[in-house]
């Protein structure tokens, strides 16, 4: 049974008061920002009842779900692991890979205020991309958590597709004052600051408050480890939209057009941002394209028909991720074996671009569009939302 579906003490929740318009995710309420831009000790916390205890809100009424409700995906390569393993009918091998996964308690202390899961069968997974080998990281910071990428992956109930929404790391949001605090507590800051305030659980809480989307699983991806993943596949073909020189040693040159890249080249490419007018948005686009290229290459006949290459790819992939306690690779193998790159849609959380607030360069949400998109995600109606808005991929939607 899924962690998210466990009822009773410790898993009940409230939906927290909303200070903006009815039904709005708390992360977008009350604009312009209130309180300071510092740590989560800003505005007053949630309303209090007798004895100073928080007033109860809407309870989270979890339902028992079948085993496959614990399945999660990680954008490209990890998503494909289950499909490949199922395709070669080695369930025991998948169990071994599952046992090798690093684990983390991503939901520590999150026992109140979780949005109610309203749709059975659909899944929402937070993908957190860090780069432990980022050459821009300070030497005394190399072992600290660095969240360079936040993606909410929505898998509809029919399991035939997936939508991946990138959240800019500089998005200006309300960060709750604690891992189980009310969504209206705390203060405004860049969403990436949630990790400094309370680690991965605080980031999970912040994303749930921002979107009103119930997260079922969390997977952390070490992009540094994807060098080995890429090399195990023999490299990938990536589109270079403009010729640039890397700002990192050995100062590789990337020429406009399609380039075949090995692991070191590909990771260098997806780290670049300062040479592009769109900055972090260009980097997010390149990361999305890289993940899709990995998936398509892994699904190719050359990988599937070569046992040694397949084993190297699967081992490298599982070494590059950390999963929450209830993630099941073997369950994923059964449910998502037919999902491929063409079934993925990459988007970016609707925003108005960069602004300066409280002396910081931040990204401001497009409140109306973001509310509509996340409401559709929570109701498992992303296909309808995309059709009605004629939405473009994130590579075209962020001017």
């Amino acid at each position: 049974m899924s962690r998210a579906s466990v009822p009773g003490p410790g898993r009940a929740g409230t939906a927290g008061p909303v200070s903006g318009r009815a039904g709005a995710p708390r992360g977008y309420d009350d604009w312009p920002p209130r309180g300071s831009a510092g740590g989560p000790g800003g505005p007053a916390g949630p309303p209090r009842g007798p004895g100073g205890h928080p007033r109860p809100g809407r309870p989270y009424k979890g339902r028992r779900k079948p085993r496959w409700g614990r399945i999660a995906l990680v954008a490209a390569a990890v998503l494909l692991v289950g499909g490949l393993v199922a395709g070669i009918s080695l369930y025991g091998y998948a169990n071994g890979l599952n046992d090798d996964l690093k684990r983390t308690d991503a939901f520590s202390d999150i026992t109140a205020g979780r949005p109610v899961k309203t749709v059975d069968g659909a899944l929402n997974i937070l993908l957190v991309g860090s780069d432990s080998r980022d050459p821009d990281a300070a030497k005394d910071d190399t072992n600290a958590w660095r969240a360079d990428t936040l993606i909410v992956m929505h898998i509809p109930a029919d399991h035939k597709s997936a939508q991946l929404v990138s959240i800019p790391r500089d998005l200006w949001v309300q960060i709750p004052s604690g891992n189980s605090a009310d969504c209206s507590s705390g203060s405004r800051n860049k969403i990436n600051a949630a990790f400094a305030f309370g680690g991965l659980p605080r980031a999970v809480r912040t994303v749930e408050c921002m979107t009103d989307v119930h997260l079922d699983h969390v997977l952390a991806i070490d992009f540094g480890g994807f060098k080995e993943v890429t090399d195990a596949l023999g490299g990938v073909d990536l589109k270079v939209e403009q010729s640039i020189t890397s700002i990192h040693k050995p100062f590789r040159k990337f020429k406009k057009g399609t380039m075949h890249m090995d692991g070191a080249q590909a990771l260098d490419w997806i780290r670049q941002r300062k040479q592009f007018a769109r900055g972090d948005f260009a980097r997010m686009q390149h990361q999305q394209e890289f993940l899709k290229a990995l998936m398509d290459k892994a699904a190719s006949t050359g990988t599937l028909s070569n046992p040694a290459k397949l084993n190297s790819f699967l081992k490298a992939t599982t070494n590059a991720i950390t999963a929450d306690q209830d993630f099941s690779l073997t369950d994923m193998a059964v449910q998502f074996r037919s999902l491929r790159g063409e079934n993925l849609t990459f988007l970016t959380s609707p925003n108005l671009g960069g602004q300066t607030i409280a002396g910081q360069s931040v990204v401001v949400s497009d409140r109306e569009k973001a509310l509509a998109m996340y409401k559709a995600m929570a109701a498992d109606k992303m296909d309808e939302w995309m059709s009605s808005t004629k939405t473009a991929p994130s590579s075209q939607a962020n001017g």
Side-chain angles (χ1 to χ4, degrees):
M1 182 169 60
S2 166
R3 175 208 51 74
S5 66
V6 179
R11 295 303 181 196
T14 61
V18 178
S19 58
R21 85 183 192 196
R26 270 72 59 169
Y28 296 118
D29 292 335
D30 223 9
W31 185 260
R34 53 193 177 86
S36 69
R48 300 282 170 173
H53 299 291
R55 291 176 181 170
R58 180 177 54 180
Y60 167 53
K61 299 179 180 179
R63 295 177 57 188
R64 294 183 64 88
K65 295 187 296 182
R67 180 175 171 83
W68 53 261
R70 302 198 322 265
I71 301 166
L73 306 176
V74 61
V78 178
L79 176 148
L80 188 60
V81 169
L84 294 176
V85 172
I88 57 178
S89 301
L90 293 178
Y91 194 82
Y93 180 74
N95 269 327
L97 292 174
N98 197 64
D99 292 341
D100 289 340
L101 286 176
K102 296 181 288 292
R103 302 283 177 172
T104 184
D105 186 0
F107 299 94
S108 175
D109 300 326
I110 303 179
T111 58
R114 293 177 58 83
V116 176
K117 184 174 177 63
T118 58
V119 181
D120 283 331
L123 289 171
N124 300 302
I125 299 98
L126 180 64
L127 307 175
V128 180
S130 66
D131 194 345
S132 62
R133 306 174 202 179
D134 187 348
D136 285 335
K139 288 184 178 180
D140 58 355
D141 232 10
T142 52
N143 293 324
W145 181 265
R146 292 174 56 84
D148 299 308
T149 305
L150 286 171
I151 297 175
V152 178
M153 172 183 269
H154 174 73
I155 302 98
D158 62 11
H159 298 172
K160 294 181 180 179
S161 64
Q163 295 84 43
L164 296 94
V165 179
S166 291
I167 300 175
R169 63 179 182 174
D170 291 338
L171 192 67
W172 191 250
V173 300
Q174 186 79 8
I175 299 181
S177 59
N179 295 348
S180 60
D182 189 89
C183 290
S184 62
S185 68
S187 63
R188 297 268 171 175
N189 211 312
K190 297 178 182 181
I191 194 168
N192 202 40
F195 292 93
F197 295 157
L200 186 56
R202 188 72 57 86
V204 171
R205 181 66 178 151
T206 300
V207 171
E208 287 194 331
C209 286
M210 182 192 97
T211 63
D212 258 359
V213 171
H214 184 99
L215 297 175
D216 299 288
H217 289 285
V218 177
L219 293 175
I221 313 167
D222 178 5
F223 278 113
F226 268 48
K227 174 185 179 298
E228 287 74 21
V229 175
T230 307
D231 288 338
L233 293 173
V236 293
D237 293 329
L238 295 174
K239 178 184 177 182
V240 176
E241 69 266 34
Q242 71 181 62
S243 296
I244 64 166
T245 298
S246 171
I247 62 174
H248 305 129
K249 293 180 180 180
F251 308 113
R252 298 179 178 86
K253 294 186 181 298
F254 297 95
K255 295 183 178 181
K256 184 177 180 179
T258 300
M259 286 185 61
H260 183 79
M261 302 185 194
D262 62 19
Q265 290 172 314
L267 288 188
D268 194 8
W269 168 248
I270 67 172
R271 286 172 176 143
Q272 306 304 311
R273 62 186 175 94
K274 295 181 179 179
Q275 305 94 319
F276 300 95
R278 294 170 57 240
D280 268 339
F281 291 107
R283 179 163 65 173
M284 283 191 295
Q285 174 191 337
H286 298 156
Q287 290 171 345
Q288 293 169 348
E289 292 170 348
F290 170 61
L291 292 172
K292 186 177 184 299
L294 279 178
M295 184 174 184
D296 290 339
K297 186 66 177 289
S300 67
T301 303
T303 301
L304 294 173
S305 61
N306 186 324
K309 180 182 287 189
L310 178 60
N311 181 65
S312 296
F313 163 71
L314 295 174
K315 290 290 187 180
T317 299
T318 53
N319 285 338
I321 67 169
T322 300
D324 67 72
Q325 302 291 346
D326 292 327
F327 169 77
S328 173
L329 189 61
T330 49
D331 284 344
M332 186 182 73
V334 175
Q335 292 298 319
F336 297 97
R337 58 185 177 274
S338 62
L339 199 56
R340 293 292 182 267
E342 62 267 21
N343 307 125
L344 305 182
T345 301
F346 289 92
L347 305 163
T348 295
S349 190
N351 64 84
L352 301 175
Q355 294 184 21
T356 299
I357 299 176
Q360 300 186 72
S361 177
V362 304
V363 175
V364 177
S365 174
D366 186 324
R367 187 174 183 273
E368 183 176 351
K369 292 182 180 179
L371 287 172
M373 185 189 71
Y374 289 121
K375 182 178 180 180
M377 182 182 291
D380 194 21
K381 295 182 178 179
M382 282 295 286
D383 285 340
E384 296 178 21
W385 176 82
M386 289 189 293
S387 296
S388 66
T389 59
K390 295 182 173 59
T391 186
S394 61
S395 58
Q396 301 173 17
N398 297 302

